[in-house]
Amino acid sequence: MKKHIAKVLAGGAIAALALTGCGSGSPSSSVGTAGGTSGSTAGGLQDITVGILSIAPSAVMQYGIDEGIFEKHGLNVELQTGQGGAAMLPAVSTGTMNFAVGNPLSVMVAKDKGLDMR
């Protein structure tokens, strides 16, 4: 039962990442290492940086790394702890982070303030 809940939480974290605001970057850039450039490790994995918060739900991101879930999908995930969802949005906008855990309101406010978010 615990493994099932953990898998559901990991899936939810992946879905949340997919829906979290991302900086648009240039059309030729792809998800990669900081600075918006494409990066791969020796195993052919895509390097991505994810901003997380020091809260319990963010633990599923580490679980996904430990269980090889991201690796299975071709991702080498590096976690960076931020001070808050809204505080991490400029890092996503500039390409320092590829994704950040936050809430939709922060993304809407950032877009209203002029950050290129979607």
Side-chain angles (χ1 to χ4, degrees), residues 12 20 37 42 77 106:
T20 303
T37 59
V77 178
S106 297

Side-chain angles (χ1 to χ4, degrees), residues 1-117:
M1 182 71 170
K2 285 185 179 183
K3 282 190 174 189
H4 177 70
I5 291 172
K7 287 181 183 180
V8 170
L9 288 175
I14 292 169
L17 284 174
L19 298 174
T20 303
C22 302
S24 64
S26 66
S28 63
S29 71
S30 62
V31 175
T33 57
T37 59
S38 226
S40 300
T41 61
L45 300 177
Q46 185 71 38
D47 293 329
I48 64 168
T49 303
V50 178
I52 61 169
L53 302 173
S54 295
I55 57 175
S58 292
V60 296
M61 294 298 299
Q62 187 62 51
Y63 176 83
I65 293 169
D66 293 344
E67 293 295 313
I69 295 169
F70 297 115
E71 188 175 336
K72 175 180 160 187
H73 293 282
L75 301 173
N76 179 42
V77 178
E78 175 190 342
L79 302 179
Q80 287 185 359
T81 304
Q83 296 299 315
M88 291 185 286
L89 290 178
V92 173
S93 180
T94 62
T96 305
M97 290 181 187
N98 300 106
F99 301 96
V101 175
N103 64 60
L105 180 59
S106 297
V107 175
M108 291 188 297
V109 170
K111 183 149 182 80
D112 190 50
K113 299 278 185 190
L115 286 177
D116 188 15
M117 306 304 290

